[in-house]
Amino acid sequence: MQTLHASKCGLSTAQLPSSILDVIDSLTKAGYEAYIVGGGVRDLMLGLAPKDFDAVTNATPSQIKEVFGRRCRIIGRRFELAHVYSGRELIEVATFRAPPKKAVTSAAGMILRDNNWGSIEEDFARRDFSINAMYYQPRKGIVLDFCNAIDDIKTKTLRLLGDPKLRFEEDPVRMLRTLRFAAKLNFKIDPAILDVFTPEATLLLRDVSPHRLYDESQKLFTMGHLNRVLPMLIEFGIWKQLFADIPPHIDAFIERAAKNTDQRIQIGKTINPAFFYAVLLWKPFLERCDFYMHKGVVAAEARAQAGLDVLKRQATRTIIPRFAETFIREVWEMQTRLLNPKPQQIEALSGHARFRAGFDFMLLREKSGDQTTNGMGQWWDAYQLMSLDEKERVIAQYNRQRTKSRRKVAVTEDVVETKPQQIEPLVKETESRSRRSRKAASANERRTEQNASIALDNGIAADHPILKRKRVKRDLNTVVFGPIQ
Ligand code: ATP
Ligand code: MG
């Protein structure tokens, strides 16, 4: 073990939020040892902004509870932890852990329960990567380094503590963590890890709960280097374990969405983590829609059923929470509504709770070369920037074009939905407004204002197909799923 001077590692208390200092100080005052550990220390040393700070102590969860009282909640069963609230922030406080007892591991060697308290040396050996196992005591200005992690920081090497094969067997999620940290930190993976990171090893992920895999997938999507990690997921065979029916191929749409996600994170914009699932599952969803349409199911029903099927299949790998599933299906449903909106609903649609996500999704499709959007991504893009007068004018124009093309192509409602008319780009519009269209547009505006207020009140418009749709009976026997592998 070596004791490093924090200042020589580029660390100072000035970089720390008061919440973590408050936790460390309170535990120290109560007579316990307390350190900052994990990603917070690692990221500060690398000059990155830490996502959060985790604390570790020799106090047991109930002793932590005694120190912080009502500010503390004990959570977790497999992995008991204390959540301490300091101001508006939440700090995770763990107790030093010893190796798990034999009886609590599965037949495959996976750790099922892990609440055996121990010393700091034992705790260190339980951590995953050397760079995640540095213990920083900010008040003493020291970092305890048990495994020369500082060298791995300098050489940018991701090294697992202990025997990599065993460490993957104990917790297969460490495979995902390997790729996440390698991509996020731009570190090379230690050859000892590469030796055991085989397609067979990735099969161990089948034993991990789909809830935990969903959480991990979200961390992959939101770490800011999604575009870098996606090819790695394919290369290491993780993709197949995480995504049931998504072909392991990064097409232009997925790539664009990944880059866009990374950019948004970089500039501090919020992202809905379910959005990228909507992107990944878009192709399987369309294929499933086709499947039902060929069986003669009407378009709206086919979409609803296809959405259910695709998400149900994905849940065998990562269980997407219900609210996120609803979000995904609404984004998909928005694609139809934005593609071929009823003129009188255009303004209400632009105020819909899912408009922004649906529009972003459509624009990404369009910019990645998907011509089936029929230019409507750009149309909506321009529409949003227009004054009320201009909006009136382009809605009237849109209406005329729509009526004309409807007359020309005498088709059924369903076909109209799938083969929309060509809409001229909004920005090129120059024609002056006629009296008739002005009258019609102002009537539309009144109506659409009403719709918008419904949309705002409920979060979802009352006429939204998702609310209107009758639930179909799912006959799984007729559902032809692809092979699981
Ligand atoms: P970040 O928060 O930036 O994603 P992190 O390293 O802090 O990265 P957490 O998931 O917050 O990751 O975990 C905190 C620490 O707990 C890790 O740094 C590591 O020491 C330990 N840890 C987390 N998950 C595991 C695991 N599966 N096996 C061993 N140790 C782990
Ligand atoms: Mg962390």
Side-chain angles (χ1 to χ4, degrees), residues 325-426:
E325 278 195 351
T326 306
F327 171 86
I328 293 169
R329 290 174 55 207
E330 286 176 353
V331 166
W332 290 342
E333 191 57 35
M334 261 290 166
Q335 301 310 295
T336 311
R337 302 191 78 193
L338 295 179
L339 183 65
N340 192 21
K342 292 196 176 82
Q344 64 273 27
Q345 285 180 350
I346 285 177
E347 186 54 22
L349 209 52
S350 72
H352 190 286
R354 283 294 159 257
F355 173 80
R356 191 73 228 174
F359 161 70
D360 283 347
F361 192 93
M362 180 172 255
L363 207 57
L364 281 171
R365 286 171 56 205
E366 199 163 293
K367 287 188 171 168
S368 57
D370 181 347
Q371 294 184 348
T372 63
T373 63
N374 216 17
M376 285 307 280
Q378 270 191 16
W379 193 92
W380 282 104
D381 197 18
Y383 178 82
Q384 291 168 77
L385 300 173
M386 288 178 175
S387 67
L388 274 178
D389 276 357
E390 285 172 319
K391 282 182 176 176
E392 250 178 59
R393 184 167 51 77
V394 294
I395 290 172
Q397 186 210 10
Y398 168 84
N399 197 7
R400 279 196 303 278
Q401 285 175 350
R402 193 172 188 258
T403 319
K404 212 158 69 188
S405 71
R406 276 190 171 225
R407 246 184 255 127
K408 229 190 288 170
V409 198
V411 283
T412 67
E413 194 58 33
D414 280 339
V415 180
V416 171
E417 267 188 300
T418 52
K419 286 193 187 145
Q421 66 285 359
Q422 199 65 44
I423 300 296
E424 275 179 35
L426 275 183

Side-chain angles (χ1 to χ4, degrees), residues 39-40 51-52 54:
K51 204 177 66 193
D52 51 29
D54 302 307

Side-chain angles (χ1 to χ4, degrees), residues 142-206:
I142 54 167
V143 178
L144 307 184
D145 179 2
F146 294 89
C147 57
N148 207 15
I150 190 75
D151 260 14
D152 294 333
I153 292 270
K154 284 179 192 155
T155 59
K156 290 178 155 276
T157 310
L158 197 60
R159 187 163 58 87
L160 266 171
L161 299 171
D163 172 15
K165 185 166 182 288
L166 222 74
R167 301 311 307 277
F168 279 172
E169 281 167 7
E170 268 178 10
D171 183 2
V173 165
R174 289 175 188 148
M175 286 184 255
L176 266 70
R177 291 176 65 87
T178 302
L179 301 187
R180 174 152 66 91
F181 293 128
K184 175 178 162 165
L185 309 172
N186 207 7
F187 270 36
K188 55 181 175 294
I189 303 173
D190 177 17
I193 299 180
L194 295 176
D195 283 349
V196 300
F197 206 149
T198 59
E200 296 82 65
T202 64
L203 292 176
L204 292 170
L205 284 165
R206 290 298 175 82

Side-chain angles (χ1 to χ4, degrees), residues 99-106 109-116:
K101 296 190 180 117
K102 266 251 146 34
V104 290
T105 57
S106 75
M110 201 162 87
I111 299 172
L112 301 176
R113 197 166 277 235
D114 198 358
N115 291 320
N116 203 21

